[in-house]
């Protein structure tokens, strides 16, 4: 197959995302593909240099209006985006300058480095409580019992979501990110999410508390503030991105170590390596598969391929981070590797605003888990592990371990 032919991608491509990216790179770092479940035609980028360049290229746009128009032009009605997109899409990840500049500036006023730093004691406390609950159990699903509840608790506390609402919220999030969900399921989840967030914002406006959502409601910059649709969309983005990424970072990192006993033993012996090890986990098996959708505002030449104007572009963060041109022996886990510069959190103006929090949570979670359970081991064969059916998030459905 030549690089200009369109590749029909199998429904289960997310089950071996690294092999999929390696296969694509074999015929070029930029490939035309048609992705399930809608049959989306796009250019998929797997090379590191090409990915990094495109993530910061102003000729690639992300605004939700342009994306919806392209969906209507390229897909039949039954395969287009569902109506919920408009209700929850007016956030900075789906915007371009100058709108993105304005939105990110307002969010940064509430989501500061100092906010993240002061969370450390609480993250340590939540981690200890979860590990205490695991003590005495022989076998557990580490996703459900540890990797998921930690970041969900942290981001919900940070934004001011009630404890009794968190399980339901997590379910809505999982449905909205699943490629296997039926349109009516996604519509119902989006409607519930929208209604809940609208009510929560009204509560924070009437009775501000010491939480991030209250700060966002009342944030302003030279008299500017977030509109009601922007507030709902931004709360949705921060809540979903604020826990989905870290759930997968923790679980994928644990799995990588359990598959490499020598690396696990060294990290236990030298816990000071943990911050660098987290960067290697992000590079080696990051939490995001394909970065969110972009489209070309004009022809763009990259990797020897000219992408015409008005085409969808998807960047494989997993593929880029295992490009041998950037990282020697990319399929080898090496916790001492200088993994800095990876693209797990993106690059350019859309670089993940929550990256410092994800790193903090992963470092505390992994350090606490390895210290508390020195004999932890994988309780499943590799071919028994199932990844979530999503082109966006790269994470396990379950991670069975013996403690």
């Amino acid at each position: 197959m030549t690089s200009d032919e369109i590749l029909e991608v199998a429904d289960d491509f997310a089950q071996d995302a690294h092999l999929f990216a390696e296969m694509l790179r074999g015929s070029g770092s930029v490939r035309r593909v048609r992705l399930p479940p809608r049959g989306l035609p796009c250019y998929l980028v797997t090379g590191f240099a090409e990915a990094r360049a495109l993530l910061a290229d102003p000729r690639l746009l992300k605004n939700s209006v342009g994306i919806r128009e392209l969906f209507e032009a390229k897909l039949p009605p039954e395969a287009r985006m569902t109506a919920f997109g408009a209700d929850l899409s007016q956030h900075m990840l789906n915007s371009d300058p100058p709108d993105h500049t304005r939105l990110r500036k307002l969010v940064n006023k509430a989501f500061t480095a100092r906010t993240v730093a002061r969370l450390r004691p609480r993250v340590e406390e939540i981690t200890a409580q979860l590990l205490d609950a695991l003590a005495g159990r022989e076998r557990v699903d580490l996703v459900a019992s540890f990797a998921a509840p930690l970041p969900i608790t942290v981001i919900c506390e940070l934004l001011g979501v009630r404890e009794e609402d968190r399980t339901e919220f997590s379910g809505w999030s999982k449905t909205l990110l699943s490629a296997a969900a039926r349109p009516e399921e996604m519509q119902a989840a989006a409607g519930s999410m929208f209604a809940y967030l609208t009510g929560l914002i009204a509560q924070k406006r009437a009775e501000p508390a010491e939480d991030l959502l209250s700060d966002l409601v009342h944030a302003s910059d030279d008299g500017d503030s977030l509109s009601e649709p922007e507030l709902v969309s931004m709360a949705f983005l921060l809540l979903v991105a604020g826990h989905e990424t870290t759930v997968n970072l923790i679980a994928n990192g644990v799995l990588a170590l359990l598959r490499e006993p020598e690396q696990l033993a060294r990290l236990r012996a030298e816990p000071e390596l943990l911050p660098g090890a987290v960067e290697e986990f992000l590079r080696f098996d990051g939490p995001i598969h394909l970065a969110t959708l972009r489209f070309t505002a004009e022809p763009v030449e990259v990797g020897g391929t000219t992408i015409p104007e008005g085409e969808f572009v998807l960047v494989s963060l997993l593929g880029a981070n295992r490009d041998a041109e950037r990282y020697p022996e990319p399929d080898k886990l090496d916790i001492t590797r200088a993994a800095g510069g990876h693209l797990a959190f993106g690059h350019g103006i859309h670089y993940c605003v929550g990256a410092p929090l994800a790193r903090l949570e992963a470092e505390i979670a992994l350090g606490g888990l390895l210290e508390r359970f020195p004999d932890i081991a994988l309780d499943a064969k590799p071919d028994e592990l199932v990844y979530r059916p999503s082109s966006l998030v790269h994470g396990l459905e379950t991670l069975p371990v013996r403690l």
Side-chain angles (χ1 to χ4, degrees), residues 31 39 46 50-51 84 105-106 108 114-115 183 190 196 203 210 296-297 309-310 332 349 353 361 391:
R31 284 296 313 274
T46 52
E50 294 81 3
F84 79 82
K105 190 174 183 180
L106 286 166
N108 284 345
R114 186 170 62 179
T115 300
Y196 174 75
Q203 176 191 334
E210 292 186 4
T296 50
E309 177 183 351
K332 177 183 178 182
I349 63 171
V353 70
E361 291 176 328
S391 61

Side-chain angles (χ1 to χ4, degrees), residues 61-69 71 81-96 99-100 102-103 176 190-191 193-194 197-198 226-238 240 292-293 295 350:
L61 305 181
K62 299 195 70 181
N63 69 82
S64 54
V65 173
I67 285 177
R68 280 198 298 273
E69 289 176 350
F71 264 102
M81 296 177 70
T82 50
F84 79 82
D87 293 333
L88 298 172
S89 66
Q90 296 185 48
H91 51 70
M92 59 189 179
L93 194 57
N94 287 341
S95 62
D96 308 305
D99 292 334
H100 174 271
R102 166 183 162 266
L103 292 171
L176 291 173
M193 180 83 79
F194 180 81
L197 292 176
T198 300
L226 295 171
S227 67
E228 188 73 12
E230 288 170 343
L231 274 169
V232 173
S233 296
M234 198 67 76
F236 167 71
L237 172 66
L238 293 176
V240 173
T292 48
L293 205 55
F295 65 94
H350 292 288

Side-chain angles (χ1 to χ4, degrees), residues 89-284:
S89 66
Q90 296 185 48
H91 51 70
M92 59 189 179
L93 194 57
N94 287 341
S95 62
D96 308 305
D99 292 334
H100 174 271
T101 309
R102 166 183 162 266
L103 292 171
R104 181 131 184 169
K105 190 174 183 180
L106 286 166
V107 171
N108 284 345
K109 282 180 169 291
F111 209 102
T112 64
R114 186 170 62 179
T115 300
V116 172
R118 71 171 185 243
L119 287 173
R120 177 177 283 274
R122 180 58 181 145
V123 175
E124 292 173 339
E125 182 180 17
I126 297 168
T127 299
Q129 291 170 350
L130 291 170
L131 292 174
D132 286 344
L134 296 180
R137 298 175 62 183
E138 183 179 353
R139 291 179 171 86
V140 299
D141 169 16
L142 206 66
V143 172
S145 61
F146 184 66
L150 171 60
I152 288 172
T153 302
V154 172
I155 196 64
C156 285
E157 286 189 0
L158 185 59
L159 279 139
V161 175
R162 296 183 299 268
E163 184 174 358
E164 58 268 26
D165 298 335
R166 293 170 192 171
T167 300
E168 195 170 31
F169 164 80
S170 181
W172 298 332
S173 174
K174 191 169 185 179
T175 298
L176 291 173
L177 293 178
S178 173
R182 297 191 301 272
E184 59 270 25
E185 292 175 326
M186 297 186 73
Q187 189 72 35
S192 297
M193 180 83 79
F194 180 81
Y196 174 75
L197 292 176
T198 300
L200 187 61
I201 286 167
Q203 176 191 334
K204 301 299 181 185
R205 182 174 281 115
E207 301 175 3
E210 292 186 4
D211 56 57
L212 177 55
L213 191 52
S214 293
D215 290 345
L216 285 175
V217 169
H218 297 280
S220 64
D221 184 72
D222 297 330
D224 189 15
S225 60
L226 295 171
S227 67
E228 188 73 12
E230 288 170 343
L231 274 169
V232 173
S233 296
M234 198 67 76
F236 167 71
L237 172 66
L238 293 176
L239 278 165
V240 173
H243 81 272
E244 288 284 358
T245 299
T246 313
V247 171
N248 300 329
L249 171 54
I250 294 170
N252 293 354
V254 172
L255 177 60
L257 286 173
L258 295 182
R259 285 175 162 173
E260 297 291 341
E262 290 184 3
Q263 295 289 301
L264 175 58
R266 180 160 188 184
L267 188 56
R268 276 213 182 92
E270 302 176 61
E272 66 273 13
L273 294 176
L274 191 52
V278 169
E279 299 307 309
E280 173 67 347
F281 300 142
L282 285 162
R283 181 208 68 82
F284 179 76

Side-chain angles (χ1 to χ4, degrees), residues 8 55 229:
E8 300 285 345
L55 289 171

